[in-house]
Amino acid sequence: MNVVAVDIGGTHARFALAEVANGRVVALGESVTLKTAEYASLQTAWQAFGAQIGALPRAAAIAVASPVGGELIKLTNNPWIIRPALVRERLEVDDFVLINDFGAVGHAVAQLDSEHFDHLCGPNVRLPENGSLTVCGPGTGLGVAIVHRFAQGYHVIETEGGHQDFAPLDGLEDAMLKRLRKTYTRVSAERICAGPGIIAIYETLAEIEGRAVPRLDDKAIWSMALEGSDSLALAALDRFCLSLGAVAGDLALAQGAKGVVIAGGLGLRLKDHFARSGFAERFAAKGRFRSLMEDIPVKLITHPQPGLFGAAAAFAQEYAQ
């Protein structure tokens, strides 16, 4: 059976055709990426994809960067609004699933082969076939999901764990928190450990050093950091990885995880920086539970489109096709 897989984030909407059978993804076609700012709604973006591809199958697997439920879905970092009751009519489909974007990544983690995962820290072994896996990753926001694996299959729990309180662990992070509290009464982990969080980190470091820096957006700071062209931006990148390691460890501890997977578009871009940033040390630094944390394998998902793959996998599970 063919289905249109859709992955809608804060900045981009990605589309691809997928083939599913027997509850699993058989094949995922080449993706098409559209900027959400250039389209009024999911329907108009869907039509634009159809204009490129031709006739679309009457089935949709849609992952969205938002909690899924109720009569109206308002995306967290995107102005689009989705009314589930109107999806069949507006998209001209017979069957569909709507799933949180990191719920979709959870399905991808459950179904992808080991070749799509790189080792980050902990024991260099495969992800366990039984027990819970924590899935988290930075992008426009900080996505979090849980995958429960058992002999008969798996179950994905969509969460909003990225909105847990940010817990500073040293004086520099205290300064980051103080800076963000001027804007937000409650500072969540996402304010630090998502793409836009690099701004607060960068500006806090500049303030500590007494530097006058221009107001830059997160894309500019990330570019300088990843290129290594600015020492302050590079220091902000290292601090970002430290904070992400701590948050990932907190999530694993709270969720009883037997394995952890880092995902998200930004997570993949940081592949070469995790090992030398102190991420592993912060992940394991949980006091009396250090030895437990050091026994958890932590992987980076390297599939180019886990959201699309996972949305198709969720459809395959829902309709057992």
PDB file of all heavy atoms in Angstrom, residues 30 36 49-50 52 65 72 79 101 111 145 149 152-153 161 163 189-190 213 221 223 227 229 233 237 271 290 307:
ATOM      1  N   GLU A  30      12.042   9.571  -2.394  1.00  0.00           N
ATOM      2  CA  GLU A  30      12.803  10.812  -2.222  1.00  0.00           C
ATOM      3  C   GLU A  30      11.905  11.893  -1.637  1.00  0.00           C
ATOM      4  O   GLU A  30      10.745  12.043  -2.032  1.00  0.00           O
ATOM      5  CB  GLU A  30      13.370  11.254  -3.567  1.00  0.00           C
ATOM      6  CG  GLU A  30      14.297  12.454  -3.481  1.00  0.00           C
ATOM      7  CD  GLU A  30      14.935  12.794  -4.813  1.00  0.00           C
ATOM      8  OE1 GLU A  30      14.838  11.967  -5.749  1.00  0.00           O
ATOM      9  OE2 GLU A  30      15.527  13.884  -4.917  1.00  0.00           O
ATOM     10  N   THR A  36       7.476  26.235   5.387  1.00  0.00           N
ATOM     11  CA  THR A  36       6.124  26.478   5.891  1.00  0.00           C
ATOM     12  C   THR A  36       5.726  27.947   5.762  1.00  0.00           C
ATOM     13  O   THR A  36       4.556  28.260   5.579  1.00  0.00           O
ATOM     14  CB  THR A  36       6.006  26.045   7.361  1.00  0.00           C
ATOM     15  OG1 THR A  36       7.001  26.726   8.144  1.00  0.00           O
ATOM     16  CG2 THR A  36       6.212  24.547   7.499  1.00  0.00           C
ATOM     17  N   PHE A  49       2.912  19.780  -3.321  1.00  0.00           N
ATOM     18  CA  PHE A  49       3.616  18.507  -3.458  1.00  0.00           C
ATOM     19  C   PHE A  49       2.972  17.660  -4.552  1.00  0.00           C
ATOM     20  O   PHE A  49       3.665  17.082  -5.398  1.00  0.00           O
ATOM     21  CB  PHE A  49       3.598  17.758  -2.128  1.00  0.00           C
ATOM     22  CG  PHE A  49       4.178  16.370  -2.192  1.00  0.00           C
ATOM     23  CD1 PHE A  49       5.513  16.174  -2.484  1.00  0.00           C
ATOM     24  CD2 PHE A  49       3.381  15.254  -1.962  1.00  0.00           C
ATOM     25  CE1 PHE A  49       6.066  14.891  -2.539  1.00  0.00           C
ATOM     26  CE2 PHE A  49       3.909  13.971  -2.026  1.00  0.00           C
ATOM     27  CZ  PHE A  49       5.246  13.788  -2.309  1.00  0.00           C
ATOM     28  N   GLY A  50       1.637  17.615  -4.558  1.00  0.00           N
ATOM     29  CA  GLY A  50       0.934  16.867  -5.588  1.00  0.00           C
ATOM     30  C   GLY A  50       1.224  17.377  -6.987  1.00  0.00           C
ATOM     31  O   GLY A  50       1.320  16.601  -7.937  1.00  0.00           O
ATOM     32  N   GLN A  52       3.961  18.537  -8.007  1.00  0.00           N
ATOM     33  CA  GLN A  52       5.288  18.059  -8.396  1.00  0.00           C
ATOM     34  C   GLN A  52       5.297  16.567  -8.706  1.00  0.00           C
ATOM     35  O   GLN A  52       5.987  16.116  -9.615  1.00  0.00           O
ATOM     36  CB  GLN A  52       6.298  18.330  -7.276  1.00  0.00           C
ATOM     37  CG  GLN A  52       6.565  19.797  -6.995  1.00  0.00           C
ATOM     38  CD  GLN A  52       7.670  19.983  -5.967  1.00  0.00           C
ATOM     39  OE1 GLN A  52       8.676  19.280  -5.991  1.00  0.00           O
ATOM     40  NE2 GLN A  52       7.484  20.932  -5.065  1.00  0.00           N
ATOM     41  N   ALA A  65       4.851  18.959  14.614  1.00  0.00           N
ATOM     42  CA  ALA A  65       5.613  19.437  15.767  1.00  0.00           C
ATOM     43  C   ALA A  65       4.675  20.093  16.766  1.00  0.00           C
ATOM     44  O   ALA A  65       4.691  21.310  16.978  1.00  0.00           O
ATOM     45  CB  ALA A  65       6.688  20.415  15.314  1.00  0.00           C
ATOM     46  N   LEU A  72      -8.646  20.859  17.327  1.00  0.00           N
ATOM     47  CA  LEU A  72      -7.776  21.778  16.597  1.00  0.00           C
ATOM     48  C   LEU A  72      -6.344  21.586  17.055  1.00  0.00           C
ATOM     49  O   LEU A  72      -6.075  21.520  18.252  1.00  0.00           O
ATOM     50  CB  LEU A  72      -8.229  23.219  16.823  1.00  0.00           C
ATOM     51  CG  LEU A  72      -7.529  24.329  16.039  1.00  0.00           C
ATOM     52  CD1 LEU A  72      -8.510  25.461  15.748  1.00  0.00           C
ATOM     53  CD2 LEU A  72      -6.358  24.883  16.844  1.00  0.00           C
ATOM     54  N   PRO A  79       2.726  28.637  12.343  1.00  0.00           N
ATOM     55  CA  PRO A  79       1.384  29.221  12.415  1.00  0.00           C
ATOM     56  C   PRO A  79       0.266  28.369  11.809  1.00  0.00           C
ATOM     57  O   PRO A  79      -0.900  28.726  11.923  1.00  0.00           O
ATOM     58  CB  PRO A  79       1.533  30.538  11.648  1.00  0.00           C
ATOM     59  CG  PRO A  79       2.650  30.288  10.690  1.00  0.00           C
ATOM     60  CD  PRO A  79       3.601  29.387  11.428  1.00  0.00           C
ATOM     61  N   ASP A 101       5.590  14.769  16.056  1.00  0.00           N
ATOM     62  CA  ASP A 101       6.789  14.545  15.249  1.00  0.00           C
ATOM     63  C   ASP A 101       7.800  13.629  15.915  1.00  0.00           C
ATOM     64  O   ASP A 101       8.428  12.792  15.264  1.00  0.00           O
ATOM     65  CB  ASP A 101       7.441  15.878  14.848  1.00  0.00           C
ATOM     66  CG  ASP A 101       7.858  16.738  16.029  1.00  0.00           C
ATOM     67  OD1 ASP A 101       7.357  16.514  17.153  1.00  0.00           O
ATOM     68  OD2 ASP A 101       8.671  17.655  15.840  1.00  0.00           O
ATOM     69  N   GLN A 111      11.754   0.715  14.134  1.00  0.00           N
ATOM     70  CA  GLN A 111      11.743  -0.098  12.920  1.00  0.00           C
ATOM     71  C   GLN A 111      13.049  -0.080  12.118  1.00  0.00           C
ATOM     72  O   GLN A 111      13.296  -0.986  11.322  1.00  0.00           O
ATOM     73  CB  GLN A 111      10.590   0.338  12.005  1.00  0.00           C
ATOM     74  CG  GLN A 111       9.214   0.016  12.556  1.00  0.00           C
ATOM     75  CD  GLN A 111       8.156  -0.092  11.467  1.00  0.00           C
ATOM     76  OE1 GLN A 111       8.454  -0.182  10.281  1.00  0.00           O
ATOM     77  NE2 GLN A 111       6.898  -0.089  11.865  1.00  0.00           N
ATOM     78  N   ALA A 145      10.315  11.478  23.028  1.00  0.00           N
ATOM     79  CA  ALA A 145       9.365  10.372  22.967  1.00  0.00           C
ATOM     80  C   ALA A 145       9.947   9.178  23.712  1.00  0.00           C
ATOM     81  O   ALA A 145      11.150   9.138  24.015  1.00  0.00           O
ATOM     82  CB  ALA A 145       9.050   9.990  21.520  1.00  0.00           C
ATOM     83  N   ARG A 149       9.847  -1.428  23.878  1.00  0.00           N
ATOM     84  CA  ARG A 149      10.032  -2.599  23.020  1.00  0.00           C
ATOM     85  C   ARG A 149       9.776  -3.870  23.837  1.00  0.00           C
ATOM     86  O   ARG A 149      10.202  -3.978  24.988  1.00  0.00           O
ATOM     87  CB  ARG A 149      11.449  -2.644  22.446  1.00  0.00           C
ATOM     88  CG  ARG A 149      11.809  -1.417  21.626  1.00  0.00           C
ATOM     89  CD  ARG A 149      13.237  -1.472  21.150  1.00  0.00           C
ATOM     90  NE  ARG A 149      13.320  -1.846  19.744  1.00  0.00           N
ATOM     91  CZ  ARG A 149      14.448  -1.830  19.039  1.00  0.00           C
ATOM     92  NH1 ARG A 149      15.591  -1.488  19.616  1.00  0.00           N
ATOM     93  NH2 ARG A 149      14.444  -2.163  17.761  1.00  0.00           N
ATOM     94  N   GLN A 152       6.493  -8.960  21.466  1.00  0.00           N
ATOM     95  CA  GLN A 152       5.440  -8.922  20.460  1.00  0.00           C
ATOM     96  C   GLN A 152       5.481  -7.683  19.563  1.00  0.00           C
ATOM     97  O   GLN A 152       4.664  -7.553  18.655  1.00  0.00           O
ATOM     98  CB  GLN A 152       4.053  -9.020  21.132  1.00  0.00           C
ATOM     99  CG  GLN A 152       3.774 -10.347  21.829  1.00  0.00           C
ATOM    100  CD  GLN A 152       4.503 -10.479  23.149  1.00  0.00           C
ATOM    101  OE1 GLN A 152       4.822  -9.489  23.801  1.00  0.00           O
ATOM    102  NE2 GLN A 152       4.786 -11.712  23.539  1.00  0.00           N
ATOM    103  N   GLY A 153       6.375  -6.757  19.829  1.00  0.00           N
ATOM    104  CA  GLY A 153       6.432  -5.545  19.012  1.00  0.00           C
ATOM    105  C   GLY A 153       6.931  -4.350  19.801  1.00  0.00           C
ATOM    106  O   GLY A 153       7.879  -4.451  20.585  1.00  0.00           O
ATOM    107  N   GLY A 161       8.339  16.184  26.837  1.00  0.00           N
ATOM    108  CA  GLY A 161       9.410  16.230  27.826  1.00  0.00           C
ATOM    109  C   GLY A 161      10.402  17.357  27.624  1.00  0.00           C
ATOM    110  O   GLY A 161      11.117  17.727  28.559  1.00  0.00           O
ATOM    111  N   HIS A 163       9.728  20.276  27.510  1.00  0.00           N
ATOM    112  CA  HIS A 163       9.238  21.440  28.252  1.00  0.00           C
ATOM    113  C   HIS A 163       9.374  21.271  29.762  1.00  0.00           C
ATOM    114  O   HIS A 163       8.790  22.036  30.527  1.00  0.00           O
ATOM    115  CB  HIS A 163       7.784  21.728  27.861  1.00  0.00           C
ATOM    116  CG  HIS A 163       7.639  22.104  26.417  1.00  0.00           C
ATOM    117  ND1 HIS A 163       7.917  23.366  25.948  1.00  0.00           N
ATOM    118  CD2 HIS A 163       7.293  21.375  25.334  1.00  0.00           C
ATOM    119  CE1 HIS A 163       7.722  23.401  24.634  1.00  0.00           C
ATOM    120  NE2 HIS A 163       7.357  22.199  24.238  1.00  0.00           N
ATOM    121  N   ALA A 189      13.735  23.253  29.382  1.00  0.00           N
ATOM    122  CA  ALA A 189      14.949  22.717  28.758  1.00  0.00           C
ATOM    123  C   ALA A 189      15.038  23.132  27.304  1.00  0.00           C
ATOM    124  O   ALA A 189      16.127  23.369  26.771  1.00  0.00           O
ATOM    125  CB  ALA A 189      14.965  21.195  28.890  1.00  0.00           C
ATOM    126  N   GLU A 190      13.891  23.252  26.636  1.00  0.00           N
ATOM    127  CA  GLU A 190      13.869  23.624  25.230  1.00  0.00           C
ATOM    128  C   GLU A 190      14.444  25.010  24.979  1.00  0.00           C
ATOM    129  O   GLU A 190      14.976  25.282  23.896  1.00  0.00           O
ATOM    130  CB  GLU A 190      12.429  23.554  24.711  1.00  0.00           C
ATOM    131  CG  GLU A 190      12.303  23.859  23.228  1.00  0.00           C
ATOM    132  CD  GLU A 190      10.893  23.651  22.697  1.00  0.00           C
ATOM    133  OE1 GLU A 190      10.580  22.529  22.287  1.00  0.00           O
ATOM    134  OE2 GLU A 190      10.100  24.628  22.716  1.00  0.00           O
ATOM    135  N   VAL A 213      28.794  42.268  21.471  1.00  0.00           N
ATOM    136  CA  VAL A 213      28.556  41.495  20.251  1.00  0.00           C
ATOM    137  C   VAL A 213      27.253  41.955  19.615  1.00  0.00           C
ATOM    138  O   VAL A 213      26.320  42.381  20.310  1.00  0.00           O
ATOM    139  CB  VAL A 213      28.484  39.981  20.546  1.00  0.00           C
ATOM    140  CG1 VAL A 213      29.825  39.467  21.028  1.00  0.00           C
ATOM    141  CG2 VAL A 213      27.394  39.667  21.556  1.00  0.00           C
ATOM    142  N   ILE A 221      24.713  32.221  14.410  1.00  0.00           N
ATOM    143  CA  ILE A 221      25.604  31.712  15.453  1.00  0.00           C
ATOM    144  C   ILE A 221      25.973  30.252  15.187  1.00  0.00           C
ATOM    145  O   ILE A 221      27.137  29.857  15.318  1.00  0.00           O
ATOM    146  CB  ILE A 221      24.945  31.861  16.842  1.00  0.00           C
ATOM    147  CG1 ILE A 221      24.691  33.350  17.148  1.00  0.00           C
ATOM    148  CG2 ILE A 221      25.832  31.251  17.928  1.00  0.00           C
ATOM    149  CD1 ILE A 221      23.857  33.596  18.388  1.00  0.00           C
ATOM    150  N   SER A 223      26.106  28.797  12.294  1.00  0.00           N
ATOM    151  CA  SER A 223      27.026  28.771  11.155  1.00  0.00           C
ATOM    152  C   SER A 223      28.453  29.048  11.607  1.00  0.00           C
ATOM    153  O   SER A 223      29.401  28.342  11.229  1.00  0.00           O
ATOM    154  CB  SER A 223      26.601  29.791  10.094  1.00  0.00           C
ATOM    155  OG  SER A 223      25.384  29.416   9.500  1.00  0.00           O
ATOM    156  N   GLU A 227      31.365  26.143  11.602  1.00  0.00           N
ATOM    157  CA  GLU A 227      32.527  26.439  10.748  1.00  0.00           C
ATOM    158  C   GLU A 227      33.800  26.612  11.568  1.00  0.00           C
ATOM    159  O   GLU A 227      34.909  26.537  11.032  1.00  0.00           O
ATOM    160  CB  GLU A 227      32.275  27.731   9.958  1.00  0.00           C
ATOM    161  CG  GLU A 227      31.170  27.630   8.908  1.00  0.00           C
ATOM    162  CD  GLU A 227      30.755  28.991   8.388  1.00  0.00           C
ATOM    163  OE1 GLU A 227      31.309  30.007   8.863  1.00  0.00           O
ATOM    164  OE2 GLU A 227      29.866  29.042   7.518  1.00  0.00           O
ATOM    165  N   SER A 229      34.612  29.450  12.912  1.00  0.00           N
ATOM    166  CA  SER A 229      35.140  30.762  12.540  1.00  0.00           C
ATOM    167  C   SER A 229      35.059  31.794  13.667  1.00  0.00           C
ATOM    168  O   SER A 229      35.591  32.889  13.535  1.00  0.00           O
ATOM    169  CB  SER A 229      34.390  31.303  11.317  1.00  0.00           C
ATOM    170  OG  SER A 229      32.995  31.457  11.594  1.00  0.00           O
ATOM    171  N   ALA A 233      31.289  31.588  19.516  1.00  0.00           N
ATOM    172  CA  ALA A 233      30.236  30.704  19.002  1.00  0.00           C
ATOM    173  C   ALA A 233      30.624  29.247  19.211  1.00  0.00           C
ATOM    174  O   ALA A 233      29.767  28.407  19.537  1.00  0.00           O
ATOM    175  CB  ALA A 233      29.996  30.978  17.514  1.00  0.00           C
ATOM    176  N   LEU A 237      28.642  26.376  21.313  1.00  0.00           N
ATOM    177  CA  LEU A 237      28.325  25.035  20.812  1.00  0.00           C
ATOM    178  C   LEU A 237      28.705  23.973  21.842  1.00  0.00           C
ATOM    179  O   LEU A 237      27.925  23.046  22.123  1.00  0.00           O
ATOM    180  CB  LEU A 237      29.052  24.793  19.492  1.00  0.00           C
ATOM    181  CG  LEU A 237      28.798  23.471  18.757  1.00  0.00           C
ATOM    182  CD1 LEU A 237      29.079  23.630  17.268  1.00  0.00           C
ATOM    183  CD2 LEU A 237      29.649  22.337  19.307  1.00  0.00           C
ATOM    184  N   LYS A 271      27.017  15.699  14.968  1.00  0.00           N
ATOM    185  CA  LYS A 271      27.599  14.357  15.049  1.00  0.00           C
ATOM    186  C   LYS A 271      29.070  14.372  15.436  1.00  0.00           C
ATOM    187  O   LYS A 271      29.511  13.623  16.311  1.00  0.00           O
ATOM    188  CB  LYS A 271      27.413  13.648  13.704  1.00  0.00           C
ATOM    189  CG  LYS A 271      28.059  12.286  13.594  1.00  0.00           C
ATOM    190  CD  LYS A 271      27.823  11.705  12.210  1.00  0.00           C
ATOM    191  CE  LYS A 271      28.541  10.384  12.041  1.00  0.00           C
ATOM    192  NZ  LYS A 271      28.328   9.795  10.685  1.00  0.00           N
ATOM    193  N   ARG A 290      25.540   7.203  38.670  1.00  0.00           N
ATOM    194  CA  ARG A 290      26.511   7.289  37.577  1.00  0.00           C
ATOM    195  C   ARG A 290      26.744   5.924  36.931  1.00  0.00           C
ATOM    196  O   ARG A 290      26.757   5.809  35.704  1.00  0.00           O
ATOM    197  CB  ARG A 290      27.844   7.859  38.079  1.00  0.00           C
ATOM    198  CG  ARG A 290      28.951   7.776  37.027  1.00  0.00           C
ATOM    199  CD  ARG A 290      30.261   8.351  37.534  1.00  0.00           C
ATOM    200  NE  ARG A 290      30.232   9.798  37.503  1.00  0.00           N
ATOM    201  CZ  ARG A 290      30.513  10.545  36.447  1.00  0.00           C
ATOM    202  NH1 ARG A 290      30.830   9.973  35.291  1.00  0.00           N
ATOM    203  NH2 ARG A 290      30.485  11.845  36.520  1.00  0.00           N
ATOM    204  N   GLY A 307      11.630  11.404  10.490  1.00  0.00           N
ATOM    205  CA  GLY A 307      10.254  11.837  10.690  1.00  0.00           C
ATOM    206  C   GLY A 307       9.324  11.272   9.637  1.00  0.00           C
ATOM    207  O   GLY A 307       8.217  10.795   9.938  1.00  0.00           O
TER     208      GLY A 307
END
